[in-house]
Amino acid sequence: QVELQQSGPGLVKPSQTLSLTCAISGDSVSSNSAAWNWIRQSPSRGLEWLGRTYYRSKWYNDYALSVQSRITITPDTSKNQFSLHLNSVIPEDTAMYYCARDRPDILDGFQPWGQGTLVIVSS
Amino acid sequence: SSELTQDPAVSVALGQTVRITCQGDSLVDFYASWYQQKPGQAPLLIIYGANNRPSGIPDRFSGSSSGNTASLTITGAQAEDEADYYCNSRDRRDHRVFGGGTKLTVL
């Protein structure tokens, strides 16, 4: 059974970098059939896909246009985890952040999800 | 357009059938997946592909698609089905897009 465990601070100051980590158990971040995603949810923006990292003989990333200039998602094969870095945060980045796996060629949907991390952007 | 549109709220009488819809141009080319979210919980995948349910999802949940509209049908709605439901698909850049969500009330 695959489980995703999120960690990271719940409070970030404006203009600083939001960093969250998602530890994977039961699968590999280097899997050739999985993609590792970050998704956020807020009352004003609903569910918003932020981006993903995945390995297909080499590493790839895709980022949502809304955050493309500020986001980096990085894999860590030594710890079997992946991380979200969102820089220059503003109060509108306040949201519940989730990590999630999808396997487009096997089960085209996000499953499982991490437990969620509420991140508040405030001074 | 890569947007997905859902009705904000739908209600159904206990034991009756309800359909929740999701409209968007991308649905002509790509299937939607559907998620159920209850308060304080992460979304849960309930339908993916043409009409597939992950293990453990009751068979009263089903999915369908026609043109630019995907539908989630609950046949014989139960009290525990009261939740928010979200559709998700992809656009031509293979980016994922969510609908705005539908709040289902079971009367």
Side-chain angles (χ1 to χ4, degrees):
Chain A
Q1 181 178 347
V2 179
E3 293 186 353
L4 304 178
Q5 181 68 38
Q6 298 177 218
S7 60
L11 180 64
V12 182
K13 289 181 167 53
S15 80
Q16 295 191 342
T17 298
L18 180 163
S19 294
L20 298 174
T21 295
C22 183
I24 303 163
S25 59
D27 200 348
S28 171
V29 71
S30 303
S31 166
N32 271 294
S33 60
W36 305 97
N37 300 263
W38 285 99
I39 297 160
R40 69 182 178 183
Q41 184 175 29
S42 65
S44 60
R45 301 173 73 98
L47 280 168
E48 181 183 14
W49 176 80
L50 298 177
R52 63 180 179 174
T53 188
Y54 59 98
Y55 185 77
R56 301 289 185 270
S57 302
K58 69 175 185 177
W59 288 101
Y60 294 87
N61 289 292
D62 291 316
Y63 300 130
L65 295 179
S66 61
V67 294
Q68 189 175 32
S69 63
R70 300 191 291 132
I71 189 173
T72 306
I73 297 175
T74 57
D76 183 340
T77 57
S78 66
K79 296 182 179 179
N80 200 31
Q81 64 188 29
F82 62 108
S83 297
L84 166 69
H85 304 282
L86 185 66
N87 61 40
S88 304
V89 296
I90 58 177
E92 289 70 29
D93 292 316
T94 293
M96 182 71 79
Y97 286 76
Y98 296 100
C99 59
R101 179 188 72 170
D102 78 299
R103 296 179 292 168
D105 298 328
I106 300 174
L107 189 158
D108 194 9
F110 298 112
Q111 183 197 57
W113 295 59
Q115 80 276 22
T117 302
L118 177 61
V119 178
I120 297 173
V121 178
S122 175
S123 55
Chain B
S1 170
S2 58
E3 295 181 352
L4 297 178
T5 302
Q6 299 182 241
D7 291 329
V10 171
S11 62
V12 61
L14 184 67
Q16 295 304 300
T17 296
V18 63
R19 185 171 67 179
I20 297 170
T21 61
C22 173
Q23 287 189 304
D25 292 343
S26 64
L27 298 177
V28 173
D29 298 312
F30 303 109
Y31 288 118
S33 53
W34 289 92
Y35 300 83
Q36 177 192 69
Q37 187 178 33
K38 296 182 178 179
Q41 297 182 15
L44 175 69
L45 177 67
I46 56 174
I47 293 289
Y48 66 95
N51 181 19
N52 301 293
R53 285 174 287 105
S55 175
I57 302 302
D59 61 5
R60 64 179 179 271
F61 293 95
S62 62
S64 62
S65 185
S66 178
N68 71 340
T69 301
S71 300
L72 170 71
T73 300
I74 308 174
T75 303
Q78 303 299 302
E80 61 263 32
D81 298 336
E82 187 162 288
D84 294 329
Y85 291 85
Y86 296 90
C87 59
N88 175 264
S89 189
R90 65 183 73 195
D91 63 20
R92 294 188 185 280
R93 293 181 300 266
D94 203 27
H95 292 182
R96 298 329 198 238
V97 181
F98 285 94
T102 297
K103 182 177 182 60
L104 177 66
T105 300
V106 180
L107 305 172

